[in-house]
Amino acid sequence: SQELEQSPQSLIVQEGKNLTINCTSSKTLYGLYWYKQKYGEGLIFLMMLQKGGEEKSHEKITAKLDEKKQQSSLHITASQPSHAGIYLCGGAGGTSYGKLTFGQGTILTVHP
Amino acid sequence: GAGVSQSPSNKVTEKGKDVELRCDPISGHTALYWYRQSLGQGLEFLIYFQGNSAPDKSGLPSDRFSAERTGGSVSTLTIQRTQQEDSAVYLCASSLAIFGGRNTEAFFGQGTRLTVV
């Protein structure tokens, strides 16, 4: 099955700083999904990317998918404590047809 | 309902007992997924349903795990003879269609935290 690798595994930043989380797939994806999870809670959908080169933004969060549809980045501008949580990328397609396969997650801490 | 509902939210059981976890998907969603999240781990796929059938059960860890879906709606994940390594958060998600040729957002429930003592 396709593997999704996220980096870094954890990230600690000062409030106001920018940051980037990366997600790499070993195979070409049909779609790449970003979710956020607070400890002990379910996943909150952030963004879905389907086309090579696609970029989407929502508030201070921007996600990009490369032309080969194997790498995605999530960029947060001027981070706030409310951005803290676990960020997960999920991939669909290839041998993972019908389901999402997730990366290990990136734990983000934002210090006030 | 407005979202995916899972019950119970927490379950503590003794080793060797059977447990049933329930998932109520969003009305009209044909696809339903079960995932498991252990402490410090990512989401581990267990099984997904398209309607009432399960095209992919490859993630079920052992034959102690089973799942069913009836009426294209509610799903139950059953774990027989629970073991301590079964302790985890079990998450359910639903979407309009399965992932692949047609991509769609999956909505997740709050999860059931299972503790086997």
PDB file of all heavy atoms in Angstrom, chain B residues 59-93:
ATOM      1  N   GLY B  59      -7.494  -4.154   6.754  1.00  0.00           N
ATOM      2  CA  GLY B  59      -6.883  -3.576   7.933  1.00  0.00           C
ATOM      3  C   GLY B  59      -7.285  -4.208   9.253  1.00  0.00           C
ATOM      4  O   GLY B  59      -6.712  -3.892  10.295  1.00  0.00           O
ATOM      5  N   LEU B  60      -8.252  -5.094   9.231  1.00  0.00           N
ATOM      6  CA  LEU B  60      -8.673  -5.732  10.483  1.00  0.00           C
ATOM      7  C   LEU B  60      -7.501  -6.550  11.032  1.00  0.00           C
ATOM      8  O   LEU B  60      -6.974  -7.423  10.346  1.00  0.00           O
ATOM      9  CB  LEU B  60      -9.884  -6.629  10.258  1.00  0.00           C
ATOM     10  CG  LEU B  60     -11.170  -5.906   9.861  1.00  0.00           C
ATOM     11  CD1 LEU B  60     -12.295  -6.899   9.602  1.00  0.00           C
ATOM     12  CD2 LEU B  60     -11.584  -4.901  10.939  1.00  0.00           C
ATOM     13  N   PRO B  61      -7.082  -6.291  12.290  1.00  0.00           N
ATOM     14  CA  PRO B  61      -5.848  -6.884  12.828  1.00  0.00           C
ATOM     15  C   PRO B  61      -5.895  -8.401  12.993  1.00  0.00           C
ATOM     16  O   PRO B  61      -4.860  -9.052  12.878  1.00  0.00           O
ATOM     17  CB  PRO B  61      -5.680  -6.204  14.185  1.00  0.00           C
ATOM     18  CG  PRO B  61      -6.556  -5.013  14.153  1.00  0.00           C
ATOM     19  CD  PRO B  61      -7.682  -5.334  13.243  1.00  0.00           C
ATOM     20  N   SER B  62      -7.062  -8.929  13.303  1.00  0.00           N
ATOM     21  CA  SER B  62      -7.176 -10.373  13.524  1.00  0.00           C
ATOM     22  C   SER B  62      -8.619 -10.785  13.340  1.00  0.00           C
ATOM     23  O   SER B  62      -9.498  -9.941  13.151  1.00  0.00           O
ATOM     24  CB  SER B  62      -6.703 -10.726  14.941  1.00  0.00           C
ATOM     25  OG  SER B  62      -7.656 -10.289  15.897  1.00  0.00           O
ATOM     26  N   ASP B  63      -8.865 -12.089  13.423  1.00  0.00           N
ATOM     27  CA  ASP B  63     -10.244 -12.568  13.260  1.00  0.00           C
ATOM     28  C   ASP B  63     -11.101 -12.259  14.483  1.00  0.00           C
ATOM     29  O   ASP B  63     -12.283 -12.590  14.508  1.00  0.00           O
ATOM     30  CB  ASP B  63     -10.267 -14.064  12.924  1.00  0.00           C
ATOM     31  CG  ASP B  63      -9.586 -14.908  13.977  1.00  0.00           C
ATOM     32  OD1 ASP B  63      -9.228 -14.362  15.051  1.00  0.00           O
ATOM     33  OD2 ASP B  63      -9.389 -16.106  13.729  1.00  0.00           O
ATOM     34  N   ARG B  64     -10.519 -11.635  15.506  1.00  0.00           N
ATOM     35  CA  ARG B  64     -11.331 -11.209  16.643  1.00  0.00           C
ATOM     36  C   ARG B  64     -12.118  -9.941  16.306  1.00  0.00           C
ATOM     37  O   ARG B  64     -13.052  -9.585  17.018  1.00  0.00           O
ATOM     38  CB  ARG B  64     -10.446 -10.926  17.861  1.00  0.00           C
ATOM     39  CG  ARG B  64      -9.721 -12.135  18.411  1.00  0.00           C
ATOM     40  CD  ARG B  64      -8.981 -11.821  19.712  1.00  0.00           C
ATOM     41  NE  ARG B  64      -7.910 -10.842  19.535  1.00  0.00           N
ATOM     42  CZ  ARG B  64      -7.994  -9.569  19.905  1.00  0.00           C
ATOM     43  NH1 ARG B  64      -9.096  -9.106  20.475  1.00  0.00           N
ATOM     44  NH2 ARG B  64      -6.965  -8.763  19.722  1.00  0.00           N
ATOM     45  N   PHE B  65     -11.701  -9.281  15.226  1.00  0.00           N
ATOM     46  CA  PHE B  65     -12.348  -8.043  14.806  1.00  0.00           C
ATOM     47  C   PHE B  65     -13.323  -8.326  13.662  1.00  0.00           C
ATOM     48  O   PHE B  65     -12.978  -9.016  12.695  1.00  0.00           O
ATOM     49  CB  PHE B  65     -11.310  -7.029  14.312  1.00  0.00           C
ATOM     50  CG  PHE B  65     -10.475  -6.411  15.388  1.00  0.00           C
ATOM     51  CD1 PHE B  65      -9.494  -7.148  16.044  1.00  0.00           C
ATOM     52  CD2 PHE B  65     -10.651  -5.088  15.756  1.00  0.00           C
ATOM     53  CE1 PHE B  65      -8.714  -6.581  17.045  1.00  0.00           C
ATOM     54  CE2 PHE B  65      -9.878  -4.505  16.747  1.00  0.00           C
ATOM     55  CZ  PHE B  65      -8.915  -5.255  17.388  1.00  0.00           C
ATOM     56  N   SER B  66     -14.524  -7.763  13.773  1.00  0.00           N
ATOM     57  CA  SER B  66     -15.488  -7.871  12.683  1.00  0.00           C
ATOM     58  C   SER B  66     -16.326  -6.608  12.660  1.00  0.00           C
ATOM     59  O   SER B  66     -16.409  -5.884  13.653  1.00  0.00           O
ATOM     60  CB  SER B  66     -16.378  -9.109  12.852  1.00  0.00           C
ATOM     61  OG  SER B  66     -17.150  -8.989  14.030  1.00  0.00           O
ATOM     62  N   ALA B  67     -16.928  -6.344  11.517  1.00  0.00           N
ATOM     63  CA  ALA B  67     -17.777  -5.162  11.398  1.00  0.00           C
ATOM     64  C   ALA B  67     -18.906  -5.462  10.449  1.00  0.00           C
ATOM     65  O   ALA B  67     -18.762  -6.274   9.527  1.00  0.00           O
ATOM     66  CB  ALA B  67     -16.981  -3.949  10.913  1.00  0.00           C
ATOM     67  N   GLU B  68     -20.017  -4.817  10.687  1.00  0.00           N
ATOM     68  CA  GLU B  68     -21.144  -4.942   9.776  1.00  0.00           C
ATOM     69  C   GLU B  68     -21.838  -3.591   9.642  1.00  0.00           C
ATOM     70  O   GLU B  68     -21.680  -2.709  10.488  1.00  0.00           O
ATOM     71  CB  GLU B  68     -22.126  -6.010  10.255  1.00  0.00           C
ATOM     72  CG  GLU B  68     -22.812  -5.699  11.558  1.00  0.00           C
ATOM     73  CD  GLU B  68     -23.880  -6.740  11.889  1.00  0.00           C
ATOM     74  OE1 GLU B  68     -23.934  -7.793  11.217  1.00  0.00           O
ATOM     75  OE2 GLU B  68     -24.671  -6.486  12.813  1.00  0.00           O
ATOM     76  N   ARG B  69     -22.578  -3.489   8.552  1.00  0.00           N
ATOM     77  CA  ARG B  69     -23.350  -2.273   8.323  1.00  0.00           C
ATOM     78  C   ARG B  69     -24.708  -2.706   7.791  1.00  0.00           C
ATOM     79  O   ARG B  69     -24.791  -3.544   6.876  1.00  0.00           O
ATOM     80  CB  ARG B  69     -22.662  -1.366   7.318  1.00  0.00           C
ATOM     81  CG  ARG B  69     -23.319   0.003   7.180  1.00  0.00           C
ATOM     82  CD  ARG B  69     -22.593   0.880   6.203  1.00  0.00           C
ATOM     83  NE  ARG B  69     -23.158   2.223   6.183  1.00  0.00           N
ATOM     84  CZ  ARG B  69     -22.910   3.115   5.236  1.00  0.00           C
ATOM     85  NH1 ARG B  69     -22.110   2.812   4.224  1.00  0.00           N
ATOM     86  NH2 ARG B  69     -23.459   4.313   5.294  1.00  0.00           N
ATOM     87  N   THR B  70     -25.737  -2.157   8.353  1.00  0.00           N
ATOM     88  CA  THR B  70     -27.081  -2.541   7.954  1.00  0.00           C
ATOM     89  C   THR B  70     -27.859  -1.337   7.443  1.00  0.00           C
ATOM     90  O   THR B  70     -27.692  -0.219   7.952  1.00  0.00           O
ATOM     91  CB  THR B  70     -27.845  -3.172   9.137  1.00  0.00           C
ATOM     92  OG1 THR B  70     -27.841  -2.242  10.230  1.00  0.00           O
ATOM     93  CG2 THR B  70     -27.191  -4.467   9.573  1.00  0.00           C
ATOM     94  N   GLY B  71     -28.705  -1.590   6.433  1.00  0.00           N
ATOM     95  CA  GLY B  71     -29.551  -0.528   5.898  1.00  0.00           C
ATOM     96  C   GLY B  71     -28.778   0.622   5.304  1.00  0.00           C
ATOM     97  O   GLY B  71     -29.315   1.729   5.158  1.00  0.00           O
ATOM     98  N   GLY B  72     -27.515   0.374   4.964  1.00  0.00           N
ATOM     99  CA  GLY B  72     -26.691   1.442   4.408  1.00  0.00           C
ATOM    100  C   GLY B  72     -26.485   2.582   5.372  1.00  0.00           C
ATOM    101  O   GLY B  72     -26.126   3.699   4.965  1.00  0.00           O
ATOM    102  N   SER B  73     -26.667   2.290   6.652  1.00  0.00           N
ATOM    103  CA  SER B  73     -26.551   3.371   7.628  1.00  0.00           C
ATOM    104  C   SER B  73     -25.621   2.960   8.767  1.00  0.00           C
ATOM    105  O   SER B  73     -24.413   2.928   8.585  1.00  0.00           O
ATOM    106  CB  SER B  73     -27.927   3.753   8.149  1.00  0.00           C
ATOM    107  OG  SER B  73     -27.845   4.805   9.079  1.00  0.00           O
ATOM    108  N   VAL B  74     -26.192   2.576   9.902  1.00  0.00           N
ATOM    109  CA  VAL B  74     -25.424   2.311  11.114  1.00  0.00           C
ATOM    110  C   VAL B  74     -24.437   1.170  10.909  1.00  0.00           C
ATOM    111  O   VAL B  74     -24.733   0.174  10.252  1.00  0.00           O
ATOM    112  CB  VAL B  74     -26.374   1.972  12.276  1.00  0.00           C
ATOM    113  CG1 VAL B  74     -25.594   1.516  13.493  1.00  0.00           C
ATOM    114  CG2 VAL B  74     -27.251   3.168  12.612  1.00  0.00           C
ATOM    115  N   SER B  75     -23.253   1.338  11.500  1.00  0.00           N
ATOM    116  CA  SER B  75     -22.245   0.284  11.466  1.00  0.00           C
ATOM    117  C   SER B  75     -21.826  -0.064  12.883  1.00  0.00           C
ATOM    118  O   SER B  75     -21.794   0.802  13.764  1.00  0.00           O
ATOM    119  CB  SER B  75     -21.022   0.720  10.667  1.00  0.00           C
ATOM    120  OG  SER B  75     -20.003  -0.261  10.707  1.00  0.00           O
ATOM    121  N   THR B  76     -21.510  -1.346  13.077  1.00  0.00           N
ATOM    122  CA  THR B  76     -21.023  -1.819  14.365  1.00  0.00           C
ATOM    123  C   THR B  76     -19.687  -2.511  14.176  1.00  0.00           C
ATOM    124  O   THR B  76     -19.563  -3.377  13.302  1.00  0.00           O
ATOM    125  CB  THR B  76     -22.021  -2.813  15.002  1.00  0.00           C
ATOM    126  OG1 THR B  76     -23.292  -2.184  15.131  1.00  0.00           O
ATOM    127  CG2 THR B  76     -21.542  -3.253  16.377  1.00  0.00           C
ATOM    128  N   LEU B  77     -18.719  -2.120  14.973  1.00  0.00           N
ATOM    129  CA  LEU B  77     -17.420  -2.790  15.005  1.00  0.00           C
ATOM    130  C   LEU B  77     -17.384  -3.630  16.270  1.00  0.00           C
ATOM    131  O   LEU B  77     -17.589  -3.097  17.369  1.00  0.00           O
ATOM    132  CB  LEU B  77     -16.290  -1.761  15.011  1.00  0.00           C
ATOM    133  CG  LEU B  77     -14.855  -2.306  15.109  1.00  0.00           C
ATOM    134  CD1 LEU B  77     -14.475  -3.044  13.823  1.00  0.00           C
ATOM    135  CD2 LEU B  77     -13.859  -1.185  15.372  1.00  0.00           C
ATOM    136  N   THR B  78     -17.170  -4.920  16.110  1.00  0.00           N
ATOM    137  CA  THR B  78     -17.152  -5.834  17.250  1.00  0.00           C
ATOM    138  C   THR B  78     -15.750  -6.384  17.452  1.00  0.00           C
ATOM    139  O   THR B  78     -15.097  -6.816  16.497  1.00  0.00           O
ATOM    140  CB  THR B  78     -18.135  -7.004  17.031  1.00  0.00           C
ATOM    141  OG1 THR B  78     -19.450  -6.477  16.826  1.00  0.00           O
ATOM    142  CG2 THR B  78     -18.140  -7.941  18.228  1.00  0.00           C
ATOM    143  N   ILE B  79     -15.317  -6.347  18.694  1.00  0.00           N
ATOM    144  CA  ILE B  79     -14.026  -6.936  19.057  1.00  0.00           C
ATOM    145  C   ILE B  79     -14.311  -8.036  20.064  1.00  0.00           C
ATOM    146  O   ILE B  79     -14.868  -7.786  21.139  1.00  0.00           O
ATOM    147  CB  ILE B  79     -13.056  -5.902  19.664  1.00  0.00           C
ATOM    148  CG1 ILE B  79     -12.932  -4.673  18.758  1.00  0.00           C
ATOM    149  CG2 ILE B  79     -11.681  -6.542  19.865  1.00  0.00           C
ATOM    150  CD1 ILE B  79     -12.127  -3.534  19.373  1.00  0.00           C
ATOM    151  N   GLN B  80     -13.958  -9.252  19.707  1.00  0.00           N
ATOM    152  CA  GLN B  80     -14.177 -10.391  20.599  1.00  0.00           C
ATOM    153  C   GLN B  80     -12.913 -10.666  21.424  1.00  0.00           C
ATOM    154  O   GLN B  80     -11.798 -10.433  20.962  1.00  0.00           O
ATOM    155  CB  GLN B  80     -14.536 -11.630  19.781  1.00  0.00           C
ATOM    156  CG  GLN B  80     -15.856 -11.503  19.034  1.00  0.00           C
ATOM    157  CD  GLN B  80     -16.155 -12.741  18.201  1.00  0.00           C
ATOM    158  OE1 GLN B  80     -15.304 -13.215  17.455  1.00  0.00           O
ATOM    159  NE2 GLN B  80     -17.361 -13.268  18.341  1.00  0.00           N
ATOM    160  N   ARG B  81     -13.142 -11.166  22.616  1.00  0.00           N
ATOM    161  CA  ARG B  81     -12.024 -11.580  23.485  1.00  0.00           C
ATOM    162  C   ARG B  81     -10.946 -10.495  23.518  1.00  0.00           C
ATOM    163  O   ARG B  81      -9.799 -10.713  23.145  1.00  0.00           O
ATOM    164  CB  ARG B  81     -11.450 -12.904  23.013  1.00  0.00           C
ATOM    165  CG  ARG B  81     -12.494 -14.017  22.894  1.00  0.00           C
ATOM    166  CD  ARG B  81     -11.876 -15.331  22.436  1.00  0.00           C
ATOM    167  NE  ARG B  81     -11.192 -15.229  21.163  1.00  0.00           N
ATOM    168  CZ  ARG B  81     -11.779 -15.218  19.984  1.00  0.00           C
ATOM    169  NH1 ARG B  81     -13.105 -15.279  19.902  1.00  0.00           N
ATOM    170  NH2 ARG B  81     -11.071 -15.146  18.868  1.00  0.00           N
ATOM    171  N   THR B  82     -11.328  -9.303  23.956  1.00  0.00           N
ATOM    172  CA  THR B  82     -10.430  -8.152  23.907  1.00  0.00           C
ATOM    173  C   THR B  82      -9.106  -8.412  24.606  1.00  0.00           C
ATOM    174  O   THR B  82      -9.033  -9.121  25.620  1.00  0.00           O
ATOM    175  CB  THR B  82     -11.083  -6.915  24.528  1.00  0.00           C
ATOM    176  OG1 THR B  82     -11.573  -7.243  25.838  1.00  0.00           O
ATOM    177  CG2 THR B  82     -12.211  -6.393  23.668  1.00  0.00           C
ATOM    178  N   GLN B  83      -8.073  -7.808  24.041  1.00  0.00           N
ATOM    179  CA  GLN B  83      -6.721  -7.875  24.589  1.00  0.00           C
ATOM    180  C   GLN B  83      -6.262  -6.454  24.911  1.00  0.00           C
ATOM    181  O   GLN B  83      -6.803  -5.479  24.379  1.00  0.00           O
ATOM    182  CB  GLN B  83      -5.769  -8.494  23.564  1.00  0.00           C
ATOM    183  CG  GLN B  83      -6.174  -9.873  23.092  1.00  0.00           C
ATOM    184  CD  GLN B  83      -6.105 -10.895  24.206  1.00  0.00           C
ATOM    185  OE1 GLN B  83      -5.125 -10.963  24.944  1.00  0.00           O
ATOM    186  NE2 GLN B  83      -7.154 -11.702  24.344  1.00  0.00           N
ATOM    187  N   GLN B  84      -5.249  -6.331  25.748  1.00  0.00           N
ATOM    188  CA  GLN B  84      -4.774  -5.010  26.136  1.00  0.00           C
ATOM    189  C   GLN B  84      -4.272  -4.214  24.939  1.00  0.00           C
ATOM    190  O   GLN B  84      -4.420  -2.987  24.902  1.00  0.00           O
ATOM    191  CB  GLN B  84      -3.691  -5.134  27.208  1.00  0.00           C
ATOM    192  CG  GLN B  84      -4.247  -5.549  28.564  1.00  0.00           C
ATOM    193  CD  GLN B  84      -3.199  -5.525  29.659  1.00  0.00           C
ATOM    194  OE1 GLN B  84      -2.026  -5.761  29.401  1.00  0.00           O
ATOM    195  NE2 GLN B  84      -3.642  -5.268  30.879  1.00  0.00           N
ATOM    196  N   GLU B  85      -3.721  -4.901  23.945  1.00  0.00           N
ATOM    197  CA  GLU B  85      -3.221  -4.174  22.768  1.00  0.00           C
ATOM    198  C   GLU B  85      -4.345  -3.610  21.897  1.00  0.00           C
ATOM    199  O   GLU B  85      -4.080  -2.859  20.958  1.00  0.00           O
ATOM    200  CB  GLU B  85      -2.316  -5.063  21.910  1.00  0.00           C
ATOM    201  CG  GLU B  85      -2.983  -6.313  21.358  1.00  0.00           C
ATOM    202  CD  GLU B  85      -2.702  -7.535  22.209  1.00  0.00           C
ATOM    203  OE1 GLU B  85      -2.484  -7.387  23.426  1.00  0.00           O
ATOM    204  OE2 GLU B  85      -2.694  -8.642  21.630  1.00  0.00           O
ATOM    205  N   ASP B  86      -5.593  -3.976  22.228  1.00  0.00           N
ATOM    206  CA  ASP B  86      -6.732  -3.406  21.498  1.00  0.00           C
ATOM    207  C   ASP B  86      -7.063  -2.001  22.000  1.00  0.00           C
ATOM    208  O   ASP B  86      -7.871  -1.297  21.375  1.00  0.00           O
ATOM    209  CB  ASP B  86      -7.976  -4.286  21.648  1.00  0.00           C
ATOM    210  CG  ASP B  86      -7.782  -5.686  21.096  1.00  0.00           C
ATOM    211  OD1 ASP B  86      -6.929  -5.862  20.201  1.00  0.00           O
ATOM    212  OD2 ASP B  86      -8.473  -6.613  21.575  1.00  0.00           O
ATOM    213  N   SER B  87      -6.485  -1.604  23.117  1.00  0.00           N
ATOM    214  CA  SER B  87      -6.752  -0.278  23.668  1.00  0.00           C
ATOM    215  C   SER B  87      -6.313   0.787  22.670  1.00  0.00           C
ATOM    216  O   SER B  87      -5.165   0.806  22.217  1.00  0.00           O
ATOM    217  CB  SER B  87      -5.997  -0.079  24.993  1.00  0.00           C
ATOM    218  OG  SER B  87      -6.447  -0.985  25.970  1.00  0.00           O
ATOM    219  N   ALA B  88      -7.241   1.667  22.321  1.00  0.00           N
ATOM    220  CA  ALA B  88      -6.990   2.692  21.311  1.00  0.00           C
ATOM    221  C   ALA B  88      -8.234   3.547  21.186  1.00  0.00           C
ATOM    222  O   ALA B  88      -9.265   3.277  21.811  1.00  0.00           O
ATOM    223  CB  ALA B  88      -6.661   2.061  19.954  1.00  0.00           C
ATOM    224  N   VAL B  89      -8.135   4.578  20.358  1.00  0.00           N
ATOM    225  CA  VAL B  89      -9.316   5.350  19.972  1.00  0.00           C
ATOM    226  C   VAL B  89      -9.774   4.829  18.614  1.00  0.00           C
ATOM    227  O   VAL B  89      -8.980   4.763  17.671  1.00  0.00           O
ATOM    228  CB  VAL B  89      -9.015   6.863  19.885  1.00  0.00           C
ATOM    229  CG1 VAL B  89     -10.238   7.608  19.367  1.00  0.00           C
ATOM    230  CG2 VAL B  89      -8.593   7.394  21.246  1.00  0.00           C
ATOM    231  N   TYR B  90     -11.019   4.449  18.534  1.00  0.00           N
ATOM    232  CA  TYR B  90     -11.587   3.929  17.287  1.00  0.00           C
ATOM    233  C   TYR B  90     -12.425   5.032  16.649  1.00  0.00           C
ATOM    234  O   TYR B  90     -13.394   5.517  17.239  1.00  0.00           O
ATOM    235  CB  TYR B  90     -12.411   2.671  17.557  1.00  0.00           C
ATOM    236  CG  TYR B  90     -11.529   1.507  17.939  1.00  0.00           C
ATOM    237  CD1 TYR B  90     -11.063   1.370  19.244  1.00  0.00           C
ATOM    238  CD2 TYR B  90     -11.116   0.572  16.983  1.00  0.00           C
ATOM    239  CE1 TYR B  90     -10.207   0.328  19.592  1.00  0.00           C
ATOM    240  CE2 TYR B  90     -10.269  -0.475  17.325  1.00  0.00           C
ATOM    241  CZ  TYR B  90      -9.818  -0.586  18.631  1.00  0.00           C
ATOM    242  OH  TYR B  90      -8.976  -1.613  18.968  1.00  0.00           O
ATOM    243  N   LEU B  91     -12.031   5.422  15.456  1.00  0.00           N
ATOM    244  CA  LEU B  91     -12.669   6.530  14.752  1.00  0.00           C
ATOM    245  C   LEU B  91     -13.463   6.015  13.563  1.00  0.00           C
ATOM    246  O   LEU B  91     -13.029   5.112  12.840  1.00  0.00           O
ATOM    247  CB  LEU B  91     -11.623   7.524  14.253  1.00  0.00           C
ATOM    248  CG  LEU B  91     -10.914   8.350  15.331  1.00  0.00           C
ATOM    249  CD1 LEU B  91      -9.636   8.965  14.780  1.00  0.00           C
ATOM    250  CD2 LEU B  91     -11.822   9.429  15.869  1.00  0.00           C
ATOM    251  N   CYS B  92     -14.614   6.625  13.380  1.00  0.00           N
ATOM    252  CA  CYS B  92     -15.475   6.298  12.250  1.00  0.00           C
ATOM    253  C   CYS B  92     -15.595   7.539  11.377  1.00  0.00           C
ATOM    254  O   CYS B  92     -15.602   8.668  11.887  1.00  0.00           O
ATOM    255  CB  CYS B  92     -16.843   5.854  12.757  1.00  0.00           C
ATOM    256  SG  CYS B  92     -18.068   5.578  11.476  1.00  0.00           S
ATOM    257  N   ALA B  93     -15.688   7.344  10.076  1.00  0.00           N
ATOM    258  CA  ALA B  93     -15.866   8.456   9.155  1.00  0.00           C
ATOM    259  C   ALA B  93     -16.858   8.048   8.076  1.00  0.00           C
ATOM    260  O   ALA B  93     -17.009   6.861   7.777  1.00  0.00           O
ATOM    261  CB  ALA B  93     -14.530   8.861   8.518  1.00  0.00           C
TER     262      ALA B  93
END
